[in-house]
């Protein structure tokens, strides 16, 4: 049994009782009130809660069109159904156009219970839709990013609080109160920012269902800010879109600062006389300065991502493929920065002597090693020539000593 509260706009007690009896037979437990005048109807709508209003067309002091107007002023979302034996087809159509859900002739009252059931189901659908929309709005408004929903024509159908606040503070005059109901595409066309205007074809493709998404970042000089605008399909293949607008000024500032630091570091590395190579703990090269390019005769693009063993051959006894971690075992804190002599290999295959010292940086998730290299080929040549000269001098002195002894 379903509880049903029925407000009857009816002057006939007999007809009212008939309606209540029909609905009771259909499985409803009916609680009803009968009114006959505009004042009684207004009072009943104000003081009580109803599930359906059923109205006769003609009453001695009242009629259905006037009752419908009073009902609509209440703002209630419940069925308003006409039950009459005198209503003509033209009047019935006019009432339904004005907002009545249906009409039933008194000679065919058997139609009333299914009409009531159908309209109550429609009310429930609308109620659930409103609740879902309210929930969606709560979710949207909880987000700090500015979000708007567009239909397939580019009209703004919903926004969150962040979007409304931004539009109020910075939007053009026609968007100051609320952007809902405005045309987003027209706003883009009026924009003074070329990046926004240039994005129009991409947004149009999304609205028509021909694109899976679009994203752009643009500067707003008047606000001295950077913004990210992302547009994605609301429902694939059916048009409409979600516009996600975010102030990314802080992120861009951090990125610019990082870029500047990297540029300064690169300038320092590239002016260093020593070869400087950074690598991960497996020995794969991550940076390679200009001095290293000159030492090994490799352009930087050919060595990035390669293993250090390409530059320090296994034959030197220092490294072997896949065992750089073992090679780095000697690199304990007390050994960091201490130079050692190793063999290097140029791109031509030429092997040469060099000094190598390592430093280590421990990050939260990994270690980075920096190798400082110096080609000591010339120093070794001078040392060899010096040793040879000293050896020749020693032999000459020995010969002179022997000669003086024999004489």
């Amino acid at each position: 049994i379903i509880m049903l509260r029925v407000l009857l706009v009816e002057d006939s007690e007999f007809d009212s009782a008939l309606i209540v009896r029909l609905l009771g037979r259909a499985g409803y437990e009916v609680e009803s009130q009968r009114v006959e005048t505009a004042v009684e109807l207004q009072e009943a709508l104000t003081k009580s809660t109803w599930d359906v209003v059923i109205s006769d067309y003609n009453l001695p002091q009242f009629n259905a069109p006037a009752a419908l107007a009073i009902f609509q002023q209440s703002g209630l979302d419940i069925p308003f159904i006409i039950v009459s034996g005198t209503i003509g087809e033209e009047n019935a159509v006019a009432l339904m156009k004005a907002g009545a859900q249906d009409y039933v002739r008194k000679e065919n009252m058997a139609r009333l219970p299914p009409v009531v059931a159908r309209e109550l189901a429609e009310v429930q659908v609308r109620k659930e839709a409103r609740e879902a929309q309210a929930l969606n709005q709560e979710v949207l408004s909880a987000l700090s990013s500015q979000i708007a929903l567009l239909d397939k024509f580019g009209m703004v159908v919903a926004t969150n609080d962040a979007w409304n606040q931004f539009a109020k503070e910075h939007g053009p005059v026609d968007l100051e109160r609320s952007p809902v109901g405005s045309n987003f595409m027209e706003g883009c066309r009026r924009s003074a920012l070329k990046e926004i205007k240039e994005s129009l074809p991409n947004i149009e493709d999304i609205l028509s269902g021909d694109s899976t998404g679009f994203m752009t970042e643009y500067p707003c000089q008047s606000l001295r800010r950077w913004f990210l605008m992302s547009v994605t399909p609301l429902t694939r293949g059916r048009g409409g879109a979600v516009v996600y607008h975010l102030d990314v000024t802080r992120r861009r500032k951090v990125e610019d600062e990082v870029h500047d630091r990297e540029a300064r570091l690169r300038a320092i590395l590239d002016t260093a006389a020593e070869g400087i190579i950074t690598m991960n703990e497996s020995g794969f090269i991550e940076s390679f300065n200009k001095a290293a390019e000159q030492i090994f005769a490799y352009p930087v693009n050919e060595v990035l991502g390669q293993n250090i063993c390409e530059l320090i051959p296994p034959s030197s006894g220092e490294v072997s493929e896949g065992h750089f971690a073992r090679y780095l075992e000697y690199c304990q804190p007390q050994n960091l920065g201490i130079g050692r002599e190793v063999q290097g290999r140029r791109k031509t295959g030429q092997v040469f002597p060099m000094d190598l010292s390592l430093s280590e940086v421990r990050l939260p998730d990994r270690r980075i090693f920096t190798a400082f290299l110096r080609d000591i080929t010339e120093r070794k040549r001078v040392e060899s020539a010096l040793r040879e000269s000293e050896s020749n001098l020693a032999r000459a002195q020995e010969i002179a000593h022997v000669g003086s002894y024999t004489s």
Side-chain angles (χ1 to χ4, degrees), residues 320-333:
S320 59
E321 186 69 44
H323 293 84
F324 189 73
R326 189 181 305 163
Y327 168 66
L328 294 175
E329 285 180 1
Y330 89 96
C331 202
Q332 300 302 317

Side-chain angles (χ1 to χ4, degrees), residues 255-331:
E255 289 177 349
D256 288 344
E257 290 175 353
V258 170
H259 177 75
D260 290 344
R261 285 198 300 268
E262 289 179 346
R264 288 195 295 270
L265 178 60
R266 170 54 58 184
I268 292 171
L269 293 178
D270 284 345
T271 56
E274 291 182 311
I276 302 175
I277 304 172
T278 62
M279 66 204 88
N280 63 21
E281 56 193 357
S282 297
F284 290 98
I285 297 170
E286 297 182 354
S287 71
F288 201 73
N289 77 338
K290 289 190 178 299
E293 289 185 89
Q294 295 172 357
I295 291 171
F296 292 99
Y298 271 105
V300 62
N301 61 297
E302 291 187 16
V303 293
L304 291 182
Q306 299 297 318
N307 198 280
I308 192 67
C309 70
E310 296 293 327
L311 307 178
I312 306 177
S315 59
S316 69
E318 301 294 346
V319 292
S320 59
E321 186 69 44
H323 293 84
F324 189 73
R326 189 181 305 163
Y327 168 66
L328 294 175
E329 285 180 1
Y330 89 96
C331 202

